[in-house]
Amino acid sequence: MTTRRMRPRAGVVGLAACAIMATAFAGPAGAAQGPAATPASHAATQRAIDAAVAAGVPGITAEARDASGVWKSATGVGNLKTGAPRGQNDRFRTGSITSTFVATVLLQMEAEKKLSLDDSVERWLPGVVQGNGNDGRAITVRQLLNHTSGLFDYFSDPAYVQTYVLGDGYLQHRYDTLAHDLRVKVALSHPPAYQPGVRHWFSNTNDVLAAMVVEKVGGKKYEDEVRRRIITKLGLTATSNPGTATTLPRPSSRGYSKLFADQPDRIEDVTEVNGSQAWGNGDIISSAADLNRFYAALMGGKLLPPQQLKEMMTTVVNPDVPVSSYGLGVERLTLSCGTDVWYHDGGAVGWISVSSFTEDGRHVFTFNYNSDFAGETLLPVLDAEYCGTPAG
């Protein structure tokens, strides 16, 4: 399947690899059977995790919370060199899951009457989005959050990808500190992919701009707003923004990527990277337990008033992934058994994460691969957790 939805996630040789979650979720859903009962155990989930490790993922850490309590799993290895196992409390780079944190902050600011999501981007970032047919006056903050702005994805720029994402470019530049507006400038050197409001099209540029709006509205660093409003409030002790740090807090495992298209069996340790390179759209570091606490609190109404939570969960059609629709920093997905779950996935070079949750937040499930390949195994893990059997 060909898709235009590109995130810095899976597989990760070439731009096609950036869309592997979209590809994994794009298969036809099975016949709708109505909401499935929550599995009494997580045996099917563990089998799907084991299958993903057998398919090539070095290691997986996972946690589920539901009416039965808390279930944790750590499978495979966290360090290919030493053979050390993955840990149940591992911290990892969450990638685009960061966007839910940003969206939550902006919705809180809306509830506080500090901005409207229907404000233009130009109002808050004057002169930033312009040139080559790009016009911040015609794009709203809401369109940044639901990815209907049409802005070009900087992660689709070949020169950027060759410099910072793939092959020798990544290995040479992974420690570089990048100003966050550099990625915006890369995107705006291209005309928009679509006019604002025409359709959903995932662009990492939107999330960077949304974090910039957070700073302009709040008068503080985006990291400070996330920490004060979410991390500290919920006691997420394993969650942080790295700034320019290159290492992961412990406990953690190593992250692995296939950076070279012409050497598909070559696996590189890509654990270390300057956090500034994913500022605002993919920099947050967390654990499965912390992400579950975050999404349970979010869906349980502990972070947003009812009106803002309703806005967050108002979705637009995703033409590239028929079984998924996109809200404001969260997505809805129909699984093979007909059950709807909410989720957000995130990819970084060396990592894939998925956080999923029921609409009431009472069943949450997060898992992380310490690799950015074998993305085709993601959907079977989700199916196993919520349907009781992996998708066939």
Side-chain angles (χ1 to χ4, degrees):
M1 172 182 174
T2 300
T3 178
R4 296 290 302 280
R5 183 188 188 206
M6 295 180 178
R7 305 186 194 180
R9 47 168 137 228
V12 55
V13 180
L15 288 176
C18 304
I20 199 162
M21 274 292 287
T23 303
F25 287 171
Q33 301 171 5
T38 301
S41 74
H42 300 276
T45 307
Q46 186 61 58
R47 289 194 297 272
I49 287 172
D50 292 341
V53 171
V57 180
I60 300 172
T61 186
E63 185 196 89
R65 293 175 179 239
D66 57 23
S68 301
V70 178
W71 174 81
K72 289 177 175 284
S73 175
T75 306
V77 297
N79 188 318
L80 290 174
K81 184 176 181 180
T82 67
R86 281 225 71 172
Q88 292 182 352
N89 300 313
D90 273 358
R91 302 180 186 189
F92 46 82
R93 303 188 191 279
T94 68
S96 293
I97 287 174
T98 298
S99 64
T100 313
F101 287 79
V102 174
T104 300
V105 170
L106 284 171
L107 283 160
Q108 289 177 345
M109 289 176 165
E110 182 191 58
E112 296 160 2
K113 309 299 184 184
K114 294 181 178 179
L115 86 161
S116 167
L117 295 190
D118 295 316
D119 289 342
S120 71
V121 173
E122 176 69 15
R123 174 175 178 179
W124 294 107
L125 303 175
V128 171
V129 179
Q130 61 182 359
N132 294 310
N134 299 289
D135 186 356
R137 297 171 300 178
I139 299 169
T140 67
V141 176
R142 190 185 308 275
Q143 288 171 329
L144 296 180
L145 296 180
N146 66 15
H147 293 270
T148 59
S149 74
L151 291 171
F152 186 85
D153 186 357
Y154 75 84
F155 212 86
S156 297
D157 180 85
Y160 183 91
V161 171
Q162 290 299 322
T163 302
Y164 295 108
V165 182
L166 296 179
D168 290 323
Y170 176 87
L171 297 176
Q172 293 170 8
H173 293 282
R174 66 159 108 179
Y175 298 109
D176 293 0
T177 296
L178 300 185
H180 52 260
D181 60 352
L182 178 144
R183 289 169 291 155
V184 174
K185 291 177 180 177
V186 168
L188 299 179
S189 69
H190 299 268
Y194 301 95
Q195 290 304 304
V198 168
R199 55 157 284 171
H200 169 86
W201 187 71
F202 191 94
S203 170
N204 291 279
T205 309
N206 292 321
D207 290 334
V208 178
L209 288 167
M212 293 170 66
V213 172
V214 165
E215 293 199 333
K216 195 63 177 285
V217 175
K220 301 181 182 68
K221 291 182 178 179
Y222 122 83
E223 297 97 319
D224 293 339
E225 293 284 1
V226 168
R227 185 178 306 109
R228 177 175 68 88
R229 292 170 175 271
I230 300 174
I231 295 174
T232 301
K233 181 175 182 177
L234 297 180
L236 304 181
T237 57
T239 304
S240 61
N241 296 88
T244 59
T246 61
T247 58
L248 286 174
R250 293 188 177 182
S252 56
S253 293
R254 311 300 292 179
Y256 297 97
S257 183
K258 297 180 178 181
L259 296 175
F260 296 87
D262 59 347
Q263 301 176 62
D265 296 326
R266 177 177 172 178
I267 297 175
E268 295 285 342
D269 184 325
V270 294
T271 310
E272 295 181 0
V273 64
N274 191 306
S276 68
Q277 296 189 15
W279 180 94
N281 73 308
D283 60 328
I284 285 179
I285 294 166
S286 192
S287 68
D290 266 16
L291 291 176
N292 281 344
R293 282 194 288 271
F294 166 57
Y295 282 106
L298 180 61
M299 294 297 105
K302 295 181 180 179
L303 293 173
L304 294 175
Q307 175 59 34
Q308 277 65 42
L309 187 57
K310 181 180 178 181
E311 288 187 85
M312 173 174 268
M313 301 179 75
T314 299
T315 64
V316 294
V317 173
N318 181 352
D320 297 322
V321 187
V323 294
S324 178
S325 58
Y326 203 95
L328 306 183
V330 295
E331 303 178 63
R332 185 174 59 205
L333 173 70
T334 301
L335 296 172
S336 65
C337 58
T339 294
D340 282 348
V341 297
W342 292 83
Y343 78 102
H344 209 291
D345 56 290
V349 179
W351 309 90
I352 310 175
S353 305
V354 179
S355 284
S356 55
F357 38 95
T358 53
E359 189 166 326
D360 60 7
R362 294 180 180 178
H363 184 177
V364 288
F365 174 52
T366 294
F367 60 103
N368 167 264
Y369 292 5
N370 63 336
S371 67
D372 53 26
F373 43 86
E376 69 279 0
T377 63
L378 295 166
L379 189 53
V381 175
L382 277 178
D383 266 309
E385 177 64 22
Y386 291 98
C387 298
T389 55

